[in-house]
Structures are given as C-alpha cells and as structure tokens.
Amino acid sequence: MKRHTFLKLVSFLVLLLLLSAGAGYVYRGYLCEPVTDSSAARKVTLTVPSGMTIAKVASYLSEQQLIHNKYFFYYGAKYPVLVKGRETSGPLVLKSGVYDLSSDMTLAQIYAVLSSGISGQVHVTIPEGLTLRKVAQLLEEQKICSAQDFIAKGHDVQLLAEYHIPAESFEGYLFPDTYYLIPGMDSSDVLTKMADNFFAHIQSIPGLSEAPADVLHTKVILASIVEREYRIAEEAPLIASVFTNRINKEIGLYSCATIEYIITEIQGKEHPDVITYDDLQIDNPYNTYKWRGLPPGPISNPGTVALAAAANPPETNYYFFRVVDAAAGKHVFNSNFQSHVNSGNTLYTKKAAGSK
C-alpha cells in the first residue's frame, strides 16, 4: 500500500473514532463550520480544470486555510452523512469551472458551490487591435468595471511609472487575451492584470524581452500599426518590414489605420467606411500621411503576431503594399512606386483598414 494512501486510511479511521465518541459529534460540527467569520474572511478564486481530483481540491483549500481538515473534506465529499448541512444523499460531483470561495463559508456551502458548475467569474475576451477606450467599453458591457474608471486608470501617471512606460497611457500595453474577471472589480486590478500579461508575453519575443523601456515603446507603436493593417498572420512581418524601410528612408508611413485612430479615438467620431482625401489632410501628429516616422504613441493593443513582427521585421526591399483580396485580407507588396501603381489603386484610395 502506498504511503499516501495509508495516511489517508489512517486519517479516516481516526476521524471515524472521533465521530463515534460523544465528543466526536462536537468535533464534527467544528470541522463543518467556517474557518473564520465574515469580518476576517479570506477570498480565494479556485480554478477547477476537467479531471481535477477531490483530493487535490482538498489539499488546495487546506493550504489556503479555507477548510479545517483536508482529510475530512475528502471523505465528507464521498460520504455526505459526515457533513452537517449537506442536503444531498450522493457523493460530491466535482464540476470544472472557476469558483469564488471564502473562509467564512461552511463545508456544506463549499461543496454546493463546487458541484454547481456556476462560475463566479466572467470570461472576457479582449480581441487584438482594440484601443484602450474600446477595451473599457467592453469591460463595462460585461459589468466588470466602469469604462470611465478604467480609462482614468489607463492614464494614471503613478501606475505608468511603476511599469516604466514612457507614455501618457497604457495604450498598446493591454495584452489581448481571455481573462477571468469578477463583476465589480476595481478598475486598477483589471488594468494591471492585462499589463502584467503583456510583460509576461514579451519575455518570449526576442528583441522585446531585453529591450529598454524607450526601445520597447517604439516597437509597441509599430506593432500597434501592424496589428491594424494585417489580416493574414504570415503577412504581418512583411508589413512591419515595409514600415521599417520607410522609417529608415524617412518616408511617411502612409497608414490608413493612423487616420482611423485620429477620427475615432481623438475626434470621437464614428468609424469611417472609407478614408477620404480630406481625412489625409487632418493636422494631427498621428497623421502618418503628413508626418514622417512613427506617431507619438500606439494606436491599438497588439497581440503576439504583431509584436513579434515589429520586434524582428525581415529584411526586404518592400516600400508599398495594398489589398488585393479584401475578403481574405491578402496584400500585394512592391519595392517601387511604379510597380505599386501598376498593381492597382495606391494606399491613398485604399479602403479603410481596421476591419479586424
């Protein structure tokens, strides 16, 4: 018999002996009661993946001090008669999910939550390419936090300094991903979760993991533009190479995505169906048709594909690209303007990007 199994058996026998005695009834009541009262409650979020065993749950809850005894929890799950307040006659059926538990819950309440299949958290997916404002709107729609509060935290000078971000906001540093969030969360907790996720992901991207803050910021700006321009992952590095070549030659980026950012995020207007010639004349530092180099800051929150492309763009002789298959998001790349013109409409008349 394995030592772990033997210890479980011994513990179970000891519990049975205690419960069989007069004092055992009192002890059983103690084991079923909350570890703390509400004033001193510790809240813990427990993720139960498919296939997780009751024994592992018992050990975790014991480590987090949410239950008095892991062995009693284990056998109480199998034999409901041991647990005061359990209304079911059958053993605990542990269901996968994300559960919010607290040390002021009785053992019966914990069993009820774990068998309910009702997660205490909301799964919120942040798509690649959203702006800080749109992320805030999505969070408010999911009742996670106020959009206004989230945007305010996204411009918090002290918080930006803690992350060594040389910018006026967290635009570009909110990593697109699926997050497990709780309705009514503090906006700063949500924002730092996304920012922490960003810095964790760039550790695996050469050129970003070791980059100083100012260099990283320029890469994030470039990635934010690439994110809004590419549709096919394989083309993201080529688009990054076009912009890098134009920067090196001190040629304007001519990115429609930056014009959209001005219109929707700075001017607060609806997303345009088409970028017009008048739009290209907007006097704003984010207008890459009027000014050379990168804009002052990121125009979206890029994902891994765009970040990797901006960090390590391939060496090409491409200076132009345009859409040749709008449905598929496929582009054609050219090294000179005449070839670009011959291949179709120029970037000036390209349908507005940002369909992602």
Side-chain angles (χ1 to χ4, degrees):
M1 180 182 296
K2 291 184 178 179
R3 183 173 180 273
H4 183 65
T5 305
F6 176 75
L7 289 174
K8 278 188 178 180
L9 180 59
V10 170
S11 300
F12 181 51
L13 292 174
V14 171
L15 286 171
L16 285 180
L17 288 172
L18 286 170
L19 295 175
S20 64
Y25 182 83
V26 177
Y27 185 63
R28 187 192 71 159
Y30 164 77
L31 293 175
C32 296
E33 290 302 312
V35 173
T36 68
D37 59 23
S38 298
S39 63
R42 291 184 301 278
K43 299 185 183 299
V44 173
T45 298
L46 171 63
T47 300
V48 180
S50 178
M52 189 174 190
T53 64
I54 293 174
K56 287 185 177 180
V57 171
S59 295
Y60 178 79
L61 294 179
S62 179
E63 291 170 2
Q64 298 297 317
Q65 299 181 343
L66 263 64
I67 58 175
H68 291 285
N69 185 287
K70 65 180 180 181
Y71 297 109
F72 186 80
F73 180 93
Y74 177 82
Y75 288 107
K78 292 182 175 294
Y79 307 103
V81 68
L82 294 176
V83 182
K84 185 175 68 174
R86 282 200 74 185
E87 298 177 353
T88 179
S89 59
L92 171 67
V93 177
L94 188 62
K95 295 184 179 180
S96 60
V98 181
Y99 302 102
D100 298 321
L101 303 175
S102 176
S103 60
D104 63 349
M105 296 173 67
T106 66
L107 208 56
Q109 289 173 330
I110 293 177
Y111 286 135
V113 170
L114 296 177
S115 63
S116 68
I118 302 174
S119 295
Q121 294 185 324
V122 178
H123 298 192
V124 180
T125 299
I126 307 299
E128 292 89 347
L130 291 191
T131 60
L132 186 154
R133 181 181 63 85
K134 289 178 180 176
V135 171
Q137 290 176 341
L138 192 155
L139 291 171
E140 184 168 277
E141 290 169 3
Q142 296 292 323
K143 303 186 185 323
I144 302 302
C145 63
S146 157
Q148 183 177 357
D149 290 346
F150 186 82
I151 292 172
K153 281 298 178 183
H155 290 79
D156 187 294
V157 174
Q158 183 176 345
L159 202 54
L160 286 163
E162 290 178 11
Y163 282 91
H164 305 289
I165 296 175
E168 296 180 354
S169 79
F170 276 83
E171 190 81 87
Y173 294 85
L174 306 176
F175 192 76
D177 205 346
T178 296
Y179 294 91
Y180 300 96
L181 306 172
I182 302 171
M185 282 183 71
D186 188 283
S187 57
S188 62
D189 291 339
V190 182
L191 187 137
T192 54
K193 184 184 287 286
M194 294 180 180
D196 289 344
N197 198 17
F198 169 88
F199 284 100
H201 272 81
I202 65 170
Q203 294 307 308
S204 61
I205 302 177
L208 296 186
S209 58
E210 71 283 4
D214 57 340
V215 175
L216 173 63
H217 192 58
T218 61
K219 296 292 186 181
V220 172
I221 295 174
L222 177 57
S224 74
I225 301 174
V226 173
E227 183 65 67
R228 298 302 299 154
E229 293 282 3
Y230 92 89
R231 291 277 302 283
I232 301 173
E234 291 77 11
E235 291 186 353
L238 296 178
I239 291 175
S241 77
V242 169
F243 290 140
T244 300
N245 289 340
R246 295 178 76 86
I247 290 172
N248 291 338
K249 288 290 186 179
E250 297 188 345
I251 303 171
L253 299 187
Y254 286 21
S255 168
C256 290
T258 61
I259 304 299
E260 292 169 19
Y261 185 81
I262 296 170
I263 294 171
T264 61
E265 303 302 315
I266 297 176
Q267 296 181 342
K269 298 178 181 178
E270 293 294 321
H271 192 288
D273 291 327
V274 175
I275 298 297
T276 67
Y277 283 102
D278 287 340
D279 293 330
L280 304 183
Q281 304 308 311
I282 298 174
D283 189 13
N284 188 283
Y286 279 85
N287 187 344
T288 56
Y289 282 85
K290 292 195 71 172
W291 311 106
R292 297 176 301 188
L294 292 170
I299 64 168
S300 74
N301 288 285
T304 303
V305 171
L307 286 166
N312 301 285
E315 292 186 10
T316 71
N317 61 350
Y318 296 140
Y319 286 86
F320 305 90
F321 68 93
R322 76 172 189 87
V323 174
V324 290
D325 185 342
K330 186 175 179 57
H331 295 83
V332 62
F333 297 84
N334 289 288
S335 58
N336 61 75
F337 186 70
Q338 190 57 52
S339 298
H340 179 64
V341 171
N342 292 341
S343 65
N345 293 333
T346 70
L347 285 173
Y348 285 102
T349 57
K350 182 169 74 104
K351 181 177 174 59
S355 58
K356 295 174 66 175

